[in-house]
Amino acid sequence: MDVSMTMWVLTILGLCALIAVDFFIGRKPHDVSIKEAGIWTIVWIVLAVLFGLGLLVWGDSQASGEFFAGYITEKSLSVDNLFVFVLIMAKFAVPSHLQQRVLMVGVLIALVLRAIFIAAGAAIIANFSWVFYIFGAFLIYTAWKLIQEARAGEEEDDYEENRLLKSIEKRFGVADRYHGTKLFVRVNGKRVMTPLMVVMLAIGTTDILFALDSIPAIFGLTQDPYIVFTANAFALMGLRQLYFLIGGLLKKLVHLSYGLSVILGFIGVKLVLHALHESGLHVPEISIPFSLAFICAVLVVTTITSLIASKKQSEKAAAEAAEKSGKDSVEA
């Protein structure tokens, strides 16, 4: 899809306007209700759908299909981010009324960092087509690793700060408590960061780790930097509301890792086939409509099996609790 500089500028200005509106509405720290989170989640999804339909009308069907495939993939991968966000919020004991501000700024930092990643990835792909082999192999490896971790039942029980964040804390210092929405305060005459600033940086910089597999994944669906950027933008900008909407349901998505591993493995194979095709070999390539249908099917099946498995686990736990309670009453 041929995108002019004017279209790039208008798109970025439009996204900035949406971010400004979102920031204005949520400027006052408050506890986000399920209703508020649900409404705004729907708003962001509708905006993404309208953008995809706009590509269909003013662009072409391939661009629209690539956007929807990329958006759904990035959205599903971003749900995995929420597990880490929960751990970060718990580690830094973020007050509930400040969490929406933390996520808003953290996601903006992540969006800027991803834009840099996307620009670098597009430049590399444009000059070195063999990088598709690397991307494909990396995604297949990541998929295998996710399956191994899921089968082993490994879970992150704590959050460990990255080296960049530790060096920033050491350089500026950190206050011993939150000071409302302030990011810097003076303690004994020295200007130091507040815990709020540290959490925002933690959310934003931690996303770099997730970008290592999500960026190659979407480049496996489209090599158009415009679609890659907009799909990432819409997926990330609705992440804050999604955090409050499904925060309590995250533990029920017990098969999410399996679903994401299947999607990443599928895109990895697609990338390898594309690389072989670019090398001049006559191999079949996976179409965007098939990719979109496959990704949606995997997510639907994963969600259904997760909810069924969670329900069985809850019933089993309730039965064991009732049995234990009965034994205790008999002994008493």
Side-chain angles (χ1 to χ4, degrees):
M1 181 177 173
D2 187 19
V3 180
S4 64
M5 182 57 67
T6 302
M7 180 60 72
W8 269 104
V9 172
L10 290 175
T11 301
I12 293 174
L13 289 177
L15 291 174
C16 289
L18 291 174
I19 293 172
V21 171
D22 192 16
F23 185 83
F24 178 79
I25 293 175
R27 69 189 184 282
K28 184 178 180 181
H30 65 283
D31 293 326
V32 179
S33 64
I34 296 295
K35 181 180 178 181
E36 178 184 348
I39 291 174
W40 277 103
T41 297
I42 293 173
V43 167
W44 282 114
I45 292 175
V46 169
L47 288 173
V49 171
L50 290 176
F51 182 84
L53 292 176
L55 289 177
L56 179 62
V57 175
W58 288 286
D60 53 57
S61 59
Q62 181 177 347
S64 179
E66 289 177 352
F67 171 79
F68 282 120
Y71 171 73
I72 294 171
T73 299
E74 292 299 311
K75 199 71 172 178
S76 60
L77 289 172
S78 68
V79 172
D80 209 28
N81 298 27
L82 298 183
F83 287 98
V84 178
F85 290 175
V86 169
L87 294 176
I88 293 175
M89 295 290 190
K91 176 179 175 61
F92 292 98
V94 182
S96 58
H97 67 283
L98 293 177
Q99 289 184 6
Q100 57 92 21
R101 177 64 62 86
V102 168
L103 289 170
M104 181 182 294
V105 178
V107 167
L108 287 180
I109 295 173
L111 185 57
V112 172
L113 294 176
R114 287 206 181 196
I116 296 173
F117 268 61
I118 291 168
I124 293 172
I125 289 173
N127 293 282
F128 308 100
S129 60
W130 50 262
V131 79
F132 286 116
Y133 288 110
I134 298 177
F135 280 3
F138 177 74
L139 290 179
I140 293 173
Y141 168 75
T142 304
W144 175 81
K145 188 177 179 182
L146 274 176
I147 292 177
Q148 294 296 107
E149 292 176 355
R151 292 181 64 183
E154 295 180 8
E155 293 184 0
E156 293 278 356
D157 294 323
D158 199 6
Y159 165 75
E160 183 176 351
E161 297 178 30
N162 56 58
R163 291 182 180 180
L164 174 62
L165 191 57
K166 288 181 179 179
S167 64
I168 293 175
E169 290 178 6
K170 185 177 181 180
R171 169 67 178 81
F172 292 96
V174 182
D176 59 354
R177 64 183 178 84
Y178 288 89
H179 293 263
T181 58
K182 292 182 179 179
L183 303 181
F184 290 91
V185 294
R186 288 196 173 274
V187 177
N188 298 325
K190 182 181 178 181
R191 192 166 182 260
V192 299
M193 295 190 302
T194 64
L196 186 69
M197 182 65 174
V198 177
V199 181
M200 289 177 178
L201 292 175
I203 293 288
T205 56
T206 299
D207 184 75
I208 295 177
L209 299 176
F210 293 98
L212 291 177
D213 55 27
S214 65
I215 298 301
I218 193 170
F219 269 116
L221 297 169
T222 175
Q223 286 81 59
D224 190 328
Y226 181 77
I227 296 177
V228 172
F229 173 72
T230 51
N232 267 274
F234 279 105
L236 281 177
M237 286 161 59
L239 193 58
R240 177 170 63 91
Q241 291 80 5
L242 197 61
Y243 171 86
F244 294 105
L245 182 63
I246 70 171
L249 298 176
L250 287 176
K251 292 184 178 180
K252 294 185 178 182
L253 299 176
V254 294
H255 295 161
L256 178 63
S257 294
Y258 290 105
L260 294 180
S261 65
V262 171
I263 291 173
L264 291 177
F266 168 77
I267 297 176
V269 171
K270 185 178 185 299
L271 272 172
V272 172
L273 291 175
H274 179 73
L276 291 172
H277 182 78
E278 290 291 312
S279 300
L281 297 177
H282 297 288
V283 294
E285 286 203 89
I286 302 173
S287 67
I288 288 298
F290 181 84
S291 298
L292 180 57
F294 181 85
I295 292 168
C296 291
V298 170
L299 292 176
V300 170
V301 171
T302 299
T303 302
I304 293 174
T305 57
S306 293
L307 295 178
I308 292 174
S310 296
K311 184 178 179 180
K312 289 182 179 179
Q313 289 177 1
S314 298
E315 291 174 350
K316 183 180 179 181
E320 290 176 352
E323 183 179 354
K324 183 179 179 181
S325 176
K327 287 182 179 179
D328 290 343
S329 62
V330 170
E331 290 177 358

